[in-house]
């Protein structure tokens, strides 16, 4: 059992295969750290959006919501979109020469810019997961190919082809592929899940911007 344990296979592998395994292990740890961080960030973004929507649609005064947002200076997500759009609306509405179309266009541009910044922050570093998911299997396969090649070279030098002589070297090499898949599969699953979550938040932001624009248009015509 000691000879066929995973630890012994890793320790008995060639230097190149060990470097591949170590690199994949580091990448896997970084991926998991990013996954847990991104889960917390997206969960907080959904919670903040839910709380702000409840306050917004409860009939709260827009000026009071805007003042509260300015006092905190830590607004995120939908509240940041509201803050940016309402600030631009108040600025343009205060100009005597501003027309309704200019006020609405300016407010929409401010909200779209804020929404894009929020989505960029939510989507940050997820490309790393995509890279890990696509590259790790090939890196592990490289380690496997190198290990098998090294095993067969050693077998040729020994001059005797038996299963007991070639099996350990092949097993050591296959561990590299296993580690590559271990790093890639969670990264791919997490990337797809995060992309879906960000898309859903983007849809919510777009819907809110349209509804808030209608409210601002009614305010501007009063």
């Amino acid at each position: 059992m000691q000879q066929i344990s995973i630890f012994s296979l890793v320790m008995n592998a060639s230097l190149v295969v060990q470097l591949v395994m170590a690199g994949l292990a580091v990448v896997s740890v970084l991926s998991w750290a990013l996954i847990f961080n991104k889960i917390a960030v997206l969960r907080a973004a959904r919670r903040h959006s839910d709380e702000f929507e409840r306050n917004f649609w409860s009939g709260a005064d827009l000026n009071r919501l805007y003042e509260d947002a300015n006092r905190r200076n830590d607004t995120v997500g939908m509240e940041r979109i509201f803050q940016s759009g309402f600030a631009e609306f108040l600025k343009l509405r205060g100009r005597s020469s501003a027309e309704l179309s200019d006020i609405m266009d300016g407010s929409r541009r401010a909200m779209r810019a804020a929404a894009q910044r929020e989505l960029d922050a939510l989507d940050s570093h997820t490309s790393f997961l995509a890279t890990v998911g696509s590259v790790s299997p090939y890196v592990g396969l490289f380690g496997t190919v190198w290990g098998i090649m090294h095993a067969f070279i050693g077998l040729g030098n020994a001059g005797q082809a038996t299963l007991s002589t070639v099996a350990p070297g092949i097993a050591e090499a296959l561990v590299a592929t296993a580690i590559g898949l271990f790093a890639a599969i969670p990264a791919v699953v997490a990337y797809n899940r995060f992309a879906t979550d960000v898309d859903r938040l983007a849809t919510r932001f777009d819907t809110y911007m349209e509804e808030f624009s209608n409210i601002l248009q009614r305010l501007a015509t009063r």
Side-chain angles (χ1 to χ4, degrees):
M1 293 298 296
Q2 179 65 24
Q3 292 181 350
I4 63 173
S5 66
I6 298 297
F7 178 77
S8 64
L9 291 176
V10 172
M11 296 306 297
N12 292 328
S14 64
L15 178 61
V16 173
V17 178
Q18 287 180 340
L19 291 176
V20 170
M21 293 177 183
L24 290 172
V26 171
V27 168
S28 180
V29 171
L30 294 176
S31 296
W32 279 107
L34 178 59
I35 288 170
F36 287 123
N37 175 261
K38 192 61 65 175
I39 289 173
V41 169
L42 290 172
R43 185 176 298 168
R46 288 193 297 269
R47 185 177 65 253
H48 290 154
S49 295
D50 292 340
E51 292 175 355
F52 176 75
E53 277 194 309
R54 282 195 298 268
N55 293 332
F56 183 85
W57 295 114
S58 64
D61 181 69
L62 296 181
N63 291 292
R64 183 179 63 80
L65 288 177
Y66 178 66
E67 292 172 359
D68 291 342
N70 286 337
R71 278 198 298 268
R72 290 202 314 273
N73 291 323
D74 61 349
T75 56
V76 294
M78 200 173 290
E79 189 174 13
R80 177 68 60 82
I81 297 171
F82 161 78
Q83 186 181 16
S84 300
F86 199 64
E88 189 69 15
F89 173 79
L90 293 177
K91 182 176 70 175
L92 294 176
R93 193 186 185 190
R95 298 177 182 176
S96 58
S97 60
E99 298 182 356
L100 176 60
S101 59
D102 296 330
I103 295 174
M104 298 309 303
D105 288 342
S107 300
R108 289 192 183 97
R109 284 195 298 270
M111 286 190 289
R112 283 196 295 267
Q116 188 59 55
R117 286 193 295 269
E118 292 300 304
L119 292 174
D120 289 342
L122 293 173
D123 199 39
S124 63
H125 306 303
T126 54
S127 59
F128 174 77
L129 295 176
T131 301
V132 171
S134 60
V135 173
S136 293
Y138 296 104
V139 175
L141 183 60
F142 167 76
T144 296
V145 171
W146 185 276
I148 292 176
M149 181 181 66
H150 186 267
F152 276 105
I153 290 175
L155 181 63
N157 293 332
Q160 185 178 3
T162 62
L163 183 61
S164 60
T165 56
V166 72
I170 296 177
E172 295 164 6
L174 290 175
V175 175
T177 297
I179 296 177
L181 294 175
F182 179 79
I185 293 174
V188 172
V189 173
Y191 174 78
N192 291 332
R193 174 60 185 272
F194 296 154
T196 301
D197 290 344
V198 172
D199 287 341
R200 288 175 179 172
L201 284 171
T203 301
R204 290 183 63 180
F205 291 168
D206 289 339
T207 302
Y208 172 75
M209 285 188 289
E210 292 298 322
E211 294 171 337
F212 187 42
S213 295
N214 293 333
I215 295 174
L216 293 179
Q217 187 168 1
R218 289 196 294 269
L219 287 176
T221 54
R222 289 180 181 176

